[in-house]
C-alpha cells in the first residue's frame, strides 16, 4: 500500500515534500482525554473503544494555524449502527453561550453492516467558523470498504481553502471568500481531535436504528500520524503563520489541479448524498452566501 506521503502528493504535489515533515507520532503528539480505559496509544498507533459504559477520545498537544494533518484509520467493522468515529480540528470553545470556535470535521457514521451488502457508512463533513456550522456534506462510503483496511484521511488548510481528502483524493473544498463578507478560519489556532461515541438518537438512519450492544466492543484503529503545520506558540504566531513566505501560500496551493478536480467531481457525482447548498427545504431558498460561489 502507498504511504501517506505518496498519497498526499496527489493532493498538493511534490514541492510540499521539500518542506520538513514534523517527526510526529501518536505517542509524541496525542493524549487521551476521556474514556481512559478505552483509549490505547502506542508509538504510532491508537485504538479507541466504545462499550456500554464509555467511549474514548484523544487530542493533540499542540495548536497550529494552517498546514495539513493526515492519519490512517480503520473503522469499526460489522454492525456499527449509531457508532460515531470522529477526526477533526478545532479551536478552543469559550462557552456554549459565546461560542466563536472554528472547526473542520470528518465524522464517520456507522450502519447496520459495513460489507456493502445492505447499508454503508456515511462520511459526514462540516466546517464551523466563529461558532457557526450548518455546512454539512455527506458521502455514501461505497467506493471502498473503510473497515477492511486502513485508509488515509487528510485535512489541508491554508489561507485560500480547506480541503478534505480520502486516500489522497479531494472530496470537498471550502474556499476563502472573506473579502466578500463570508467568514473563513484564519486567526484562531486549532488542534487535532478524534473520538468514538454512541449517537443512536440520530446517527443511524435518522435515529431509527439503535446501537446493538451485543457487538461491543466497537474498535476504531489508527496508524501513521503525519503533520506539516505552522505551530501556534502565542499571539505572534497569527502574524508569522499568515506570512506569505510560508510554503502553503505558494500559488499552486490556491486551487486543485485539473486531474484532482476530475477525480473529486467523479466521487461527488456518484457518492455525495447530502449537500447543504441544495437543501431548499432546510433553508427555504435563503442559502448561506458561499453556496452561490464556486468552491473549486
Amino acid at each position: 500500500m502507498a504511504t501517506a506521503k505518496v498519497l498526499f502528493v496527489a493532493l498538493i504535489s511534490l514541492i510540499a515534500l521539500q518542506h520538513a515533515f514534523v517527526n510526529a507520532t501518536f505517542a509524541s503528539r496525542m493524549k487521551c482525554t476521556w474514556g481512559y480505559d478505552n483509549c490505547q496509544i502506542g508509538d504510532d498507533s491508537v485504538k479507541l473503544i466504545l462499550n456500554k459504559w464509555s467511549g474514548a477520545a484523544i487530542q493533540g498537544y499542540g495548536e497550529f494555524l494552517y498546514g495539513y494533518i493526515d492519519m490512517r484509520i480503520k473503522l469499526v467493522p460489522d454492525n456499527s449502527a449509531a457508532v460515531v468515529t470522529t477526526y477533526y480540528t478545532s479551536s478552543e470553545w469559550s462557552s456554549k453561550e459565546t461560542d466563536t470556535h472554528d472547526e473542520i470535521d470528518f465524522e464517520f457514521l456507522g450502519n447496520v453492516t459495513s460489507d456493502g451488502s445492505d447499508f454503508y457508512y456515511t462520511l459526514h463533513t462540516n466546517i464551523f467558523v466563529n461558532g457557526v456550522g450548518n455546512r454539512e456534506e455527506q458521502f455514501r462510503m461505497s467506493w471502498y470498504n473503510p473497515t477492511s483496511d486502513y485508509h488515509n484521511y487528510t485535512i489541508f488548510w491554508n489561507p485560500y481553502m480547506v480541503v478534505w481528502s480520502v486516500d489522497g483524493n479531494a472530496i470537498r473544498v471550502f474556499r476563502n471568500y472573506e473579502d466578500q463578507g463570508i467568514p473563513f478560519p484564519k486567526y484562531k489556532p486549532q488542534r487535532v481531535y478524534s473520538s468514538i461515541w454512541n449517537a443512536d438518537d440520530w446517527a443511524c438512519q435518522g435515529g431509527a436504528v439503535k446501537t446493538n450492544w451485543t457487538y461491543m466492543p466497537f474498535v476504531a484503529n489508527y496508524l501513521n500520524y503525519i503533520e506539516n503545520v505552522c505551530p501556534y506558540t502565542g499571539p505572534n504566531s497569527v502574524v508569522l503563520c499568515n506570512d506569505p513566505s510560508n510554503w502553503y501560500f505558494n500559488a499552486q496551493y490556491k486551487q486543485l489541479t485539473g486531474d484532482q478536480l476530475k477525480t473529486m467531481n467523479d466521487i461527488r457525482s456518484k457518492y455525495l448524498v447530502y449537500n447543504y447548498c441544495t437543501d431548499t427545504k432546510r433553508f427555504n431558498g435563503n442559502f448561506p452566501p458561499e453556496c452561490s460561489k464556486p468552491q473549486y
Side-chain angles (χ1 to χ4, degrees):
M1 175 177 290
T3 66
K5 291 183 182 180
V6 173
L7 287 167
F8 195 71
V9 171
L11 179 60
I12 64 170
S13 93
L14 285 166
I15 290 182
L17 300 181
Q18 297 171 1
H19 297 266
F21 283 87
V22 173
N23 187 22
T25 64
F26 283 107
S28 66
R29 287 291 187 266
M30 303 284 182
K31 64 180 180 180
C32 299
T33 54
W34 60 274
Y36 295 98
D37 290 339
N38 290 357
C39 179
Q40 301 173 12
I41 299 180
D43 178 34
D44 202 16
S45 65
V46 168
K47 287 183 182 291
L48 295 183
I49 301 168
L50 170 68
N51 54 32
K52 270 189 176 182
W53 303 277
S54 180
I58 56 174
Q59 75 171 47
Y61 285 113
E63 294 178 299
F64 64 95
L65 278 166
Y66 304 136
Y68 76 86
I69 57 172
D70 179 279
M71 62 180 71
R72 299 172 64 201
I73 305 174
K74 183 165 66 172
L75 295 175
V76 177
D78 303 318
N79 189 333
S80 58
V83 175
V84 177
T85 306
T86 70
Y87 159 44
Y88 62 102
T89 65
S90 178
S91 63
E92 297 292 336
W93 286 48
S94 49
S95 70
K96 288 186 177 180
E97 292 75 20
T98 59
D99 176 26
T100 60
H101 87 290
D102 297 340
E103 184 175 325
I104 304 165
D105 289 347
F106 276 110
E107 294 187 1
F108 308 95
L109 313 183
N111 217 319
V112 179
T113 60
S114 61
D115 61 5
S117 58
D118 294 303
F119 300 100
Y120 296 97
Y121 262 85
T122 296
L123 172 51
H124 176 99
T125 65
N126 200 358
I127 183 168
F128 289 73
V129 187
N130 297 329
V132 178
N134 301 322
R135 300 179 175 96
E136 302 92 346
E137 289 187 4
Q138 294 184 338
F139 299 81
R140 184 183 71 250
M141 297 177 73
S142 58
W143 73 96
Y144 67 102
N145 187 335
T147 71
S148 63
D149 203 348
Y150 290 88
H151 293 268
N152 289 76
Y153 300 94
T154 308
I155 294 172
F156 175 62
W157 169 35
N158 73 1
Y160 308 122
M161 60 184 178
V162 174
V163 182
W164 294 253
S165 71
V166 177
D167 288 338
N169 297 312
I171 63 169
R172 180 180 181 181
V173 177
F174 184 83
R175 295 206 64 82
N176 183 356
Y177 286 104
E178 187 181 41
D179 61 347
Q180 300 181 41
I182 299 172
F184 184 84
K186 283 186 68 176
Y187 305 109
K188 300 184 187 76
Q190 301 193 37
R191 71 176 78 238
V192 183
Y193 298 85
S194 189
S195 63
I196 188 170
W197 46 286
N198 168 250
D200 62 8
D201 56 333
W202 64 270
C204 187
Q205 302 177 40
V209 180
K210 306 300 183 182
T211 303
N212 186 338
W213 294 106
T214 63
Y215 286 87
M216 72 176 195
F218 304 100
V219 182
N221 289 277
Y222 301 72
L223 289 174
N224 305 135
Y225 179 65
I226 294 176
E227 64 180 36
N228 189 1
V229 299
C230 184
Y232 181 86
T233 57
N236 193 47
S237 295
V238 175
V239 176
L240 295 175
C241 293
N242 279 282
D243 189 313
S245 65
N246 286 295
W247 66 268
Y248 44 76
F249 273 87
N250 191 292
Q252 71 190 92
Y253 306 136
K254 289 186 176 181
Q255 61 187 33
L256 302 184
T257 68
D259 286 344
Q260 291 160 359
L261 283 170
K262 181 179 179 181
T263 300
M264 182 175 70
N265 285 329
D266 183 59
I267 292 172
R268 292 175 66 85
S269 68
K270 295 175 180 177
Y271 306 109
L272 182 68
V273 295
Y274 179 80
N275 184 347
Y276 74 108
C277 282
T278 61
D279 193 338
T280 304
K281 182 178 180 180
R282 176 183 181 185
F283 293 103
N284 195 28
N286 186 25
F287 291 106
E290 66 269 14
C291 293
S292 64
K293 308 292 182 183
Q295 295 298 320
Y296 43 86

